[in-house]
């Protein structure tokens, strides 16, 4: 018997087209869950869905930028999957901008994807017609909050806002026994990090572990396992917390 079992559960995974989101979706499906995948790239979402274990999975293209009301997205999802038991929020974008060049216009897209969308997703998820009592929410924060780097004010601030929101949301949703937690990985080698290094034309950024020792590199699969644990009933005693799973980054 495996210690974590998601059989019979339906889990929404955002940012599922690559990186930690894809790894989380794959892990949840292997543990028996029916998975709803969402992201901006239809082709890559289908590539993720093709690799899932089991049947009954769904992929929905959705861009969270500038979306003040995600109820239409949830209504469409409900019509095909029924109510959710869990949500893993992995959608996010980097924000590497020097202070001298940082404007509100540049700050806003990072906050929209990394923080505002999380709040709106939980607001909809918390409605009884969209989720079951005892459901669980996990959102990706970042260990960079505690070990920041220059030029990443936008990214660090957005993740700090997300992390600060978690205990408040957990208190508001405890009446339905919905758990809300965040997870802070350290230096994770993902496609997004590779693209960022290319944009910065800085291979040293990767070779140094994004500012960490190379021995601290984590894989998306390692982080995904912690996400699956927090979604599962095995973590029923944990809510309103940020779990530091940084592989020694700090």
């Amino acid at each position: 018997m495996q210690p974590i079992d998601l059989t019979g559960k339906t889990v929404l995974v955002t940012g599922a087209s690559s990186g930690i989101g894809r790894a989380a979706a794959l892990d949840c499906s292997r543990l028996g869950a029916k998975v709803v995948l969402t992201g901006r790239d239809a082709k890559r979402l289908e590539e993720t869905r093709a690799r899932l274990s089991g049947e009954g999975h769904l992929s929905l293209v959705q861009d969270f930028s500038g979306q003040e009301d995600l109820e239409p997205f949830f209504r469409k999802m409900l019509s095909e999957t029924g109510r959710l038991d869990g949500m893993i929020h992995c959608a996010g974008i980097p924000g590497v901008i020097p202070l001298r060049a940082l404007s509100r216009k540049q700050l806003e897209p990072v906050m929209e994807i990394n923080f505002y969308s999380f709040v709106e997703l939980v607001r909809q998820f918390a409605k009884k017609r969209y989720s079951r009592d005892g459901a669980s929410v996990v959102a990706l924060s970042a260990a960079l909050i505690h070990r920041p780097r220059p030029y990443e004010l936008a990214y660090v601030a957005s993740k700090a806002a997300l992390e600060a929101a978690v205990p408040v949301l957990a208190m508001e949703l405890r009446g339905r026994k919905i758990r809300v937690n965040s997870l802070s990985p350290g230096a994770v080698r993902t496609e997004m990090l590779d693209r960022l290094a290319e944009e910065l034309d800085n291979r040293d950024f990767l070779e140094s572990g994004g500012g960490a020792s190379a021995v601290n590199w984590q894989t998306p699969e390692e982080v995904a396992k912690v996400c699956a644990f927090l979604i599962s009933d095995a973590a029923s005693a944990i809510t309103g917390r940020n779990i530091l799973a940084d592989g020694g980054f700090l």
Side-chain angles (χ1 to χ4, degrees):
M1 178 182 292
Q2 53 192 10
I4 300 175
D5 185 6
L6 299 179
T7 302
K9 295 185 181 295
T10 302
V11 178
L12 168 65
V13 181
T14 72
S17 58
S18 64
I20 297 172
R22 172 174 283 177
L26 292 171
D27 208 38
C28 286
S29 73
R30 282 192 291 265
L31 293 168
K34 181 167 64 175
V35 183
V36 181
L37 313 167
T38 188
R40 294 182 291 183
D41 190 316
K43 180 180 178 181
R44 295 172 77 182
L45 279 179
E46 284 304 313
E47 289 172 356
T48 301
R49 188 168 75 156
R51 294 171 56 187
L52 297 178
S53 303
E55 300 178 347
H57 309 297
L58 174 69
S59 63
L60 293 173
V61 176
Q62 177 66 49
D63 186 351
F64 293 129
S65 60
Q67 298 296 316
E68 295 186 12
D69 185 356
L70 288 172
E71 184 143 32
F73 168 73
F74 273 80
R75 280 201 303 265
K76 182 177 181 180
M77 180 169 48
L78 181 70
S79 68
E80 300 196 44
T81 65
R83 291 191 294 170
L84 297 169
D85 300 283
M87 177 172 69
I88 302 175
H89 181 53
C90 300
I93 59 174
V96 182
I97 310 167
L99 178 62
R100 65 180 179 276
L102 183 61
S103 65
R104 178 164 182 160
K105 185 177 180 180
Q106 292 168 310
L107 185 63
E108 201 65 27
V110 183
M111 294 298 293
E112 280 185 355
I113 297 295
N114 295 0
F115 176 58
Y116 301 157
S117 69
F118 168 63
V119 175
E120 173 59 14
L121 282 162
V122 177
R123 188 176 78 88
Q124 298 297 340
F125 182 91
K127 295 177 180 180
K128 287 190 174 182
R129 60 182 172 275
Y130 298 134
S131 64
R132 295 186 177 89
D133 290 352
S136 178
V137 173
V138 178
L140 283 186
S141 182
L144 282 177
I145 293 173
H146 310 287
R147 184 180 169 178
R149 296 187 293 243
Y151 317 124
E152 294 192 74
L153 186 153
Y155 181 78
V156 170
S158 67
K159 292 298 187 179
L162 180 152
E163 195 171 310
V166 161
V168 180
L169 295 169
M171 287 188 286
E172 291 198 30
L173 299 180
R174 63 186 177 186
R176 293 190 57 209
K177 297 183 179 180
I178 293 178
R179 296 180 294 109
V180 185
N181 294 290
S182 58
L183 170 65
S184 291
V188 184
R189 188 68 178 264
T190 64
E191 294 95 327
M192 184 175 77
L193 191 64
D194 286 329
R195 289 195 300 271
L196 178 59
E198 289 177 5
E199 290 171 10
L200 296 175
D201 192 23
N202 186 357
R203 300 309 300 178
D204 290 339
F205 182 79
L206 291 180
E207 291 170 5
S208 67
S213 168
V215 299
N216 293 332
W217 275 119
Q218 295 173 271
T219 66
E221 290 73 23
E222 288 176 313
V223 180
K225 291 181 187 301
V226 185
C227 291
F229 164 69
L230 289 172
I231 282 291
S232 76
D233 294 338
S236 60
I238 304 174
T239 190
R241 302 296 181 187
N242 179 65
I243 306 301
L244 190 62
D246 68 334
F249 182 84
L250 298 180

